[in-house]
Amino acid sequence: MKVLRGMKDIIPPESKRWEDLIKKAGSVFSSFGYELSITPILEEEELFNRSVGSDSDVVSKEMYVFSDRSGEKIALRPENTASIMRVFLSGDFRGKVFKTWYWGPMFRHERPQKGRYRQFFQFGLEAIGDNSPYIDAELIYLLDVFYKKLGVEAKLEINSIGCKDCRPKYKKDLISFLSNEKLCPDCDKRMINNPLRVLDCKEEGCQKVVLKAPVLSNYLCEDCRDHFLKLLNILDNLKVNYKKSERLVRGLDYYVKTVFEFTSSELGGRQNALGGGGRYDELSLQLGGNRVPAVGYAGGIERTLMMMKENVGIENILYLALLNDELIDKFLPYALSLKAFAYDKNFTVINEFKSFNIKKHLEKANKLNASFMIILGEEEFKNSKLIFKNLKTKKEEFVEINDLETTVSEISRRIIENS
Ligand code: AMP
């Protein structure tokens, strides 16, 4: 039996890097006041028809939909912003900004290729209930910090796509310009459903056309222009690097004002977006609520991992080598409390409940790429000592076997000093 096309198992050793990414996301995002939300993978199909829109590619061509056993129309979520807004509208978040983050699988029936899967994972952040450009800036700043912490080189592009007051005039002028130009077949359709999307078409012919198209920034109303200038001003103040990009748009109507994308040229090809975000002040209306200003971001986890330096997140491994079966029971409390101690430190303890000769242990430790080793034989145990070996420098030293707490903290201290 095989895994489905466009889907994959995330298993060791690769899963270690996932664990590290999620851990870092949790700690960075919560330090900025974003708390975790976990929503169901299955939702009513209607949620996405109303939010993402039934004429969007994501809903009309890519969404997995089916009727469940009671005949309800169900969708596997293609994204998570709509679910978070559903949560917001059904909860009691009045009077405060709901800042939340999530991570999990999303599903889109696309043609699989490098960096594009049918089940893929996103992390995302949403700040609902505030229209201040400071919230947009804080979100962008925190993403910048996050990518740096992961060692991912991410370039930021930013634009403003106006609002329902200023965008219609732009759309009209754009359509009248495009109707005299030769576009790719997809853009011929986009021109009718979603003309702004023509601006970020990746086809060479369309890109040439777009260079001569009317420019959105000339159409922004005062409110949108002020919001955008203030945002850029805050980012300058925070020394966040960005590139203004007139062609950057989001495909969905509920986006207003700020749109931004983090890209990596190293990803290459057409799938170079690490993630995209923007202000979606109109989404709550589409879901039947009052107008609630909101801004958010969704980043692809697989693409982020592709850009994460190999050694980021690889913890130090401490390998325990017992030379004699009789030491298994005697050393067990030390081995397990080392593991308990290591749970939030930057090392992992690995052992087998078996003894081998030292040569065999070294082979196993090398295979695991372990950094440290504890060697314990009958002789050492009799003298209440164990050998702590730094496998990178080959340096060995004795550690006294005392009471549990002292011994474990002595070993841990050496690991931290040598890391
Ligand atoms: P979107 O919700 O389409 O703006 O996507 C946000 C981010 O999710 C993208 O920039 C990608 O990093 C990632 N992403 C979207 N679709 C896929 C996919 N089919 N496979 C892998 N990653 C994806």
Side-chain angles (χ1 to χ4, degrees):
M1 302 219 54
K2 286 186 302 193
V3 71
L4 291 174
R5 186 163 134 82
M7 307 201 176
K8 55 180 189 166
D9 300 312
I10 299 146
I11 48 176
E14 169 67 5
S15 53
K16 190 87 200 138
R17 306 176 75 234
W18 285 67
E19 222 182 305
D20 184 57
L21 187 148
I22 301 306
K23 244 196 240 168
K24 286 211 169 87
S27 68
V28 176
F29 301 164
S30 62
S31 72
F32 280 81
Y34 286 78
E35 295 171 296
L36 181 66
S37 291
I38 300 169
T39 58
I41 286 164
L42 298 178
E43 293 274 6
E44 277 180 54
E45 182 189 2
E46 187 58 12
L47 178 70
F48 303 107
N49 288 344
R50 286 223 232 157
S51 56
V52 183
S54 42
D55 55 3
S56 66
D57 280 359
V58 168
V59 169
S60 65
K61 295 193 198 147
E62 298 164 6
M63 197 156 77
Y64 283 85
V65 278
F66 60 95
S67 298
D68 73 2
R69 287 176 188 273
S70 49
E72 261 190 275
K73 296 284 267 177
I74 305 287
L76 276 168
R77 66 181 182 195
E79 58 103 58
N80 207 23
T81 302
S83 307
I84 299 290
M85 187 51 96
R86 174 185 58 64
V87 168
F88 179 85
L89 293 174
S90 54
D92 185 12
F93 296 98
R94 270 167 303 177
K96 52 183 173 226
V97 183
F98 179 46
K99 282 177 159 183
T100 192
W101 78 279
Y102 62 82
W103 79 280
M106 310 294 153
F107 303 85
R108 296 183 196 172
H109 197 275
E110 300 187 83
R111 199 166 51 78
Q113 54 181 271
K114 187 167 173 260
R116 195 159 84 185
Y117 313 98
R118 290 183 173 170
Q119 174 175 292
F120 60 98
F121 286 71
Q122 286 183 335
F123 68 88
L125 298 115
E126 317 287 353
I128 306 180
D130 196 332
N131 59 13
S132 157
Y134 285 98
I135 298 281
D136 308 29
E138 184 190 56
L139 176 60
I140 291 172
Y141 179 85
L142 103 74
L143 287 161
D144 196 49
V145 168
F146 179 56
Y147 284 125
K148 284 191 177 123
K149 272 199 196 297
L150 296 178
V152 171
E153 272 177 47
K155 292 200 185 77
L156 168 64
E157 292 188 22
I158 188 162
N159 194 17
S160 173
I161 54 165
C163 65
K164 67 176 185 347
D165 292 331
C166 51
R167 200 159 50 212
K169 166 89 174 87
Y170 175 71
K171 265 191 184 172
K172 201 165 142 249
D173 287 3
L174 181 65
I175 292 170
S176 82
F177 165 81
L178 293 174
S179 50
N180 298 318
E181 303 290 335
K182 176 144 181 41
L183 301 170
C184 73
D186 279 344
C187 281
D188 280 336
K189 281 185 227 134
R190 285 185 188 125
M191 212 171 77
I192 297 154
N193 297 334
N194 206 339
L196 254 60
R197 275 284 37 169
V198 176
L199 296 178
D200 72 350
C201 175
K202 304 283 191 292
E203 291 296 328
E204 213 177 304
C206 298
Q207 286 191 346
K208 274 195 192 138
V209 168
V210 158
L211 287 177
K212 296 174 282 163
V215 171
L216 222 164
S217 58
N218 295 334
Y219 289 73
L220 296 183
C221 61
E222 201 181 334
D223 184 35
C224 288
R225 186 171 309 131
D226 287 352
H227 191 278
F228 193 41
L229 290 178
K230 182 65 194 172
L231 171 59
L232 298 184
N233 180 268
I234 306 167
L235 293 177
D236 289 337
N237 189 10
L238 294 170
K239 306 219 167 7
V240 173
N241 287 325
Y242 60 83
K243 190 175 136 224
K244 266 200 289 175
S245 169
E246 296 280 3
R247 317 275 163 231
L248 182 66
V249 292
R250 303 290 284 161
L252 310 174
D253 272 350
Y254 59 69
Y255 278 105
V256 297
K257 297 186 173 132
T258 316
V259 292
F260 62 98
E261 209 168 74
F262 279 92
T263 60
S264 169
S265 47
E266 284 174 53
L267 276 170
R270 292 180 175 194
Q271 319 300 331
N272 71 348
L274 288 164
R279 193 155 260 295
Y280 51 93
D281 296 357
E282 308 280 333
L283 173 60
S284 55
L285 287 172
Q286 283 175 225
L287 295 182
N290 294 329
R291 190 171 190 278
V292 188
V295 61
Y297 179 81
I301 293 187
E302 288 85 353
R303 291 192 202 170
T304 305
L305 286 165
M306 280 159 76
M307 289 300 99
M308 240 166 94
K309 304 282 172 279
E310 275 310 313
N311 58 358
V312 174
I314 304 296
E315 292 176 341
N316 284 315
I317 290 176
L318 168 65
Y319 180 92
L320 305 184
L322 298 184
L323 304 181
N324 181 327
D325 266 352
E326 274 163 24
L327 296 174
I328 294 173
D329 282 319
K330 292 180 187 151
F331 195 64
L332 185 67
Y334 296 91
L336 295 197
S337 48
L338 267 169
K339 290 183 193 193
F341 180 87
Y343 85 100
D344 64 346
K345 311 284 185 304
N346 204 28
F347 69 95
T348 305
V349 184
I350 292 185
N351 73 299
E352 285 180 51
F353 296 106
K354 275 186 198 152
S355 64
F356 301 101
N357 63 30
I358 188 68
K359 191 165 163 256
K360 184 92 184 156
H361 274 309
L362 279 167
E363 268 169 27
K364 284 177 178 269
N366 278 339
K367 235 187 209 159
L368 291 165
N369 202 16
S371 309
F372 307 106
M373 195 171 191
I374 281 178
I375 305 162
L376 189 60
E378 196 53 49
E379 192 60 29
E380 285 83 20
F381 199 78
K382 242 192 255 156
N383 297 324
S384 297
K385 284 193 170 82
L386 50 81
I387 299 168
F388 178 84
K389 181 168 178 145
N390 182 331
L391 293 169
K392 305 285 170 209
T393 62
K394 308 275 184 265
K395 201 179 136 214
E396 291 184 1
E397 52 189 314
F398 285 111
V399 175
E400 296 271 340
I401 302 177
N402 275 312
D403 61 284
L404 199 57
E405 206 175 310
T406 323
T407 314
V408 166
S409 71
E410 270 303 297
I411 297 170
S412 315
R413 188 174 61 76
R414 281 176 170 76
I415 292 175
I416 293 161
E417 273 173 15
N418 283 278
S419 293

